[in-house]
Amino acid sequence: MNDRITRFLETLACWTLAILWAGPLLFALWAAFHGPEYLTRLDFTAPLTLDNFAQAWATAPFARYYLNTVLYTLGTLAGQFVLCTLAAYAFARFRFPGRDVAFMLVLVQLMIMPDQLIVENYQIMSALGLVDTITGISLPYVASAFGIFLLRQTFKQVPVELEEAALVEGASRLQVLTKVYIPLGRPTYLAYGLVSVSYHWNNFLWPIVITNSVTTRPLTVGLAIFGAPESGVHFPIISAGTLIAVAPLLLAFLLFQRQFVQSFMRAGIK
């Protein structure tokens, strides 16, 4: 009896959370595909239209925003993969004085919110001449403590005998890393890549601080300016612009949902 009540409460909680999550998205879908006269009228016989998407695309430079976002997101991910892999391999397999202290200092980054470092990061980017550049948006996120910790734990699970066998065969340290550790850590790389891409695709505060022009603004900043009240854009067009911005991540999740879940389970992320 208690198990039945527990399952009922769990199911009820899941449905409640699902409705809360999907509600705004469903309303945006309705508003984007219908005229403004149907914004607050739930009429299933109302005609569908793509005019809102055409007006949104013509009103704001979404193509440029897409390009900036892809460059910023993938550039950040590539830098994180390289730096986190090298750091994680060093912390997992090399013994050197102060290794544990250095690793603890890296983990301290997990306890500091990125928003708290905005002023310092802006001063550094300004000194480097990287304000209003794609590199300036990406650089503060390349050294990821979460990525180093995650890959270090993965590398420590790889049997040392595999590395020793590769070294006996004449492989260099870099070849051991690329031929042994990275292939065995593929699920972790996929899970971390998904987290990184989704976070940076939706990142807003740092990009709006560091960018000043259309040539560097990502989708989140461009969408905020596009939807500002002074722009005079109607809500159906804003909804269409919102769907344009979130469509790639949403489609990727719907198409690769099973792979996403499997990669997270194999990587041990819950």
Side-chain angles (χ1 to χ4, degrees):
M1 185 65 180
N2 290 334
D3 292 341
R4 188 174 298 177
I5 294 175
T6 301
R7 283 198 298 270
F8 172 76
L9 292 176
E10 290 176 349
T11 305
L12 180 63
C14 290
W15 275 103
T16 303
L17 291 175
I19 292 172
L20 290 175
W21 177 84
L25 182 62
L26 294 175
F27 179 72
L29 279 170
W30 173 266
F33 285 98
H34 295 85
E37 64 272 22
Y38 297 102
L39 184 60
T40 56
R41 287 171 50 198
L42 189 60
D43 184 359
F44 292 107
T45 61
L48 299 176
T49 178
L50 295 177
D51 291 344
N52 296 325
F53 290 91
Q55 292 184 45
W57 191 266
T59 305
F62 279 105
R64 184 69 201 188
Y65 293 156
Y66 261 115
L67 177 62
N68 295 339
T69 304
V70 170
L71 291 175
Y72 151 59
T73 304
L74 296 185
T76 304
L77 182 62
Q80 288 174 334
F81 275 169
V82 173
L83 196 149
C84 294
T85 298
L86 296 176
Y89 182 50
F91 283 126
R93 292 307 187 204
F94 287 88
R95 293 187 177 276
F96 52 88
R99 184 190 64 172
D100 294 338
V101 174
F103 183 63
M104 292 301 295
L105 291 176
V106 170
L107 294 184
V108 169
Q109 188 195 62
L110 294 174
M111 305 172 192
I112 302 175
M113 293 295 292
D115 298 349
Q116 295 175 316
L117 301 174
I118 280 183
V119 175
E120 287 79 5
N121 286 338
Y122 188 88
Q123 291 174 341
I124 294 172
M125 293 302 113
S126 179
L128 295 174
L130 295 177
V131 174
D132 201 26
T133 63
I134 299 296
T135 305
I137 308 175
S138 301
L139 202 55
Y141 296 99
V142 170
S144 169
F146 175 64
I148 294 172
F149 171 76
L150 195 63
L151 291 174
R152 174 184 176 271
Q153 298 305 109
T154 301
F155 290 166
K156 285 177 72 70
Q157 296 174 7
V158 176
V160 181
E161 290 76 10
L162 290 177
E163 179 177 355
E164 293 174 345
L167 292 174
V168 169
E169 292 293 329
S172 64
R173 288 288 183 181
L174 185 59
Q175 288 174 322
V176 170
L177 181 61
T178 56
K179 303 293 184 183
V180 177
Y181 284 95
I182 292 178
L184 292 176
R186 192 172 301 163
T188 302
Y189 279 100
L190 179 58
Y192 177 69
L194 295 173
V195 173
S196 175
V197 169
S198 61
Y199 176 82
H200 293 292
W201 189 279
N202 295 311
N203 194 11
F204 173 74
L205 189 56
W206 173 245
I208 198 173
V209 170
I210 197 67
T211 59
N212 302 318
S213 64
V214 173
T215 56
T216 55
R217 282 177 188 144
L219 272 169
T220 50
V221 179
L223 186 63
I225 296 174
F226 172 72
E230 59 269 20
S231 65
V233 181
H234 299 293
F235 193 83
I237 302 176
I238 295 176
S239 299
T242 303
L243 292 182
I244 290 173
V246 304
L249 286 184
L250 193 61
L251 286 176
F253 176 77
L254 294 176
L255 291 175
F256 303 106
Q257 183 178 6
R258 177 174 297 180
Q259 288 83 350
F260 288 177
V261 175
Q262 289 177 349
S263 63
F264 278 111
M265 293 180 65
R266 289 173 183 170
I269 301 174
K270 296 181 180 179

